[in-house]
Amino acid sequence: MKFTEQLDHYTPTCPQEEKDREVILSYLRCFDNLLTRDNEFAHFTASSFIVNRERTKTLLCYHNLYDSWAWTGGHADGDDDLLAVAIREAQEETGAQTRPLYPGIYTLDILPVWGHVKRGRYVSSHQHLNFTYLLEADERQPLAVKPDENSGVQWVPIDQMLTYSTEREMHPVYQKLIDKLRLYG
């Protein structure tokens, strides 16, 4: 399903998602290049909340750029299949093979990204129009880091996810993931 169809079918679970969905739909009417980083104001990204079979652990990476344990994810870079982007990024960043537990959007967020240097080039502050997908992986499979992006990959008890993340601004986003998992399994 194309990302626009997923967005049309997604039912927000809180006021933040309702407003973010409204803004994303507005951006889609204003910009024709939201699937690429050519739009330096805002562009689509896809993230993964990767859980084990028992739903007791989540797979996190230690992201070099953010100096924190975090979920996996990346830019759409022209691909309108954001679920495929999320799965590809999860595999690239962790080495794990994943499968979607649900084919649609799990959570929806507009995430601010502060200006930073990446690969020797300054990237101005902008917005990530982020779709998160719920994926499952076998925690017994071997893991691997992606040295140009992260320096660690490990399974973390879901109840400790916020303790591992030093990005305080991501705590409400991660808490929403945890709460939704508890509600809907």
Side-chain angles (χ1 to χ4, degrees):
M1 185 183 306
K2 290 181 68 167
F3 79 98
T4 52
E5 293 169 348
Q6 288 182 4
L7 188 57
D8 287 341
H9 289 94
Y10 184 69
T11 302
T13 59
C14 62
Q16 168 266 310
E17 287 192 341
E18 288 175 15
K19 186 61 179 176
D20 285 0
R21 183 177 180 275
E22 178 184 314
V23 171
I24 290 170
L25 289 169
S26 172
Y27 286 177
L28 282 166
R29 289 189 295 273
C30 295
F31 299 104
D32 61 0
N33 63 347
L34 292 172
L35 282 172
T36 69
R37 289 182 243 194
D38 292 341
N39 188 316
E40 294 180 311
F41 176 71
H43 42 259
F44 281 100
T45 57
S47 296
S48 302
F49 183 40
I50 305 169
V51 296
N52 64 348
R53 184 175 182 170
E54 297 77 22
R55 315 291 186 263
T56 58
K57 295 179 184 174
T58 185
L59 187 57
L60 299 180
C61 294
Y62 193 87
H63 282 277
N64 299 333
L65 181 64
Y66 299 113
D67 197 23
S68 179
W69 289 97
W71 59 7
T72 63
H75 293 88
D77 287 335
D79 190 342
D80 68 355
D81 185 345
L82 295 180
L83 174 58
V85 171
I87 291 169
R88 182 176 58 247
E89 291 290 333
Q91 198 281 323
E92 287 176 3
E93 293 180 24
T94 68
Q97 297 297 314
T98 61
R99 70 175 188 88
L101 290 175
Y102 175 73
I105 301 166
Y106 187 64
T107 60
L108 178 73
D109 298 278
I110 296 177
L111 302 171
V113 178
W114 295 107
H116 59 276
V117 175
K118 186 167 185 176
R119 296 184 181 113
R121 184 177 83 92
Y122 185 77
V123 178
S124 291
S125 296
H126 60 281
Q127 303 292 316
H128 281 175
L129 312 175
N130 194 70
F131 290 10
T132 302
Y133 295 91
L134 181 61
L135 305 180
E136 179 183 272
D138 182 345
E139 66 182 296
R140 297 168 299 177
Q141 65 183 303
L143 302 174
V145 300
K146 187 172 188 270
D148 64 325
E149 289 189 24
N150 63 55
S151 55
V153 178
Q154 72 178 38
W155 286 98
V156 171
I158 286 177
D159 292 340
Q160 295 179 26
M161 186 176 187
L162 300 183
T163 305
Y164 276 74
S165 171
T166 57
E167 293 179 275
R168 288 255 183 252
E169 64 278 4
M170 290 300 293
H171 287 193
V173 175
Y174 294 155
Q175 188 63 58
K176 182 173 60 167
L177 297 173
I178 295 165
D179 292 345
K180 191 168 185 177
L181 185 68
R182 288 182 180 143
L183 282 175
Y184 304 109

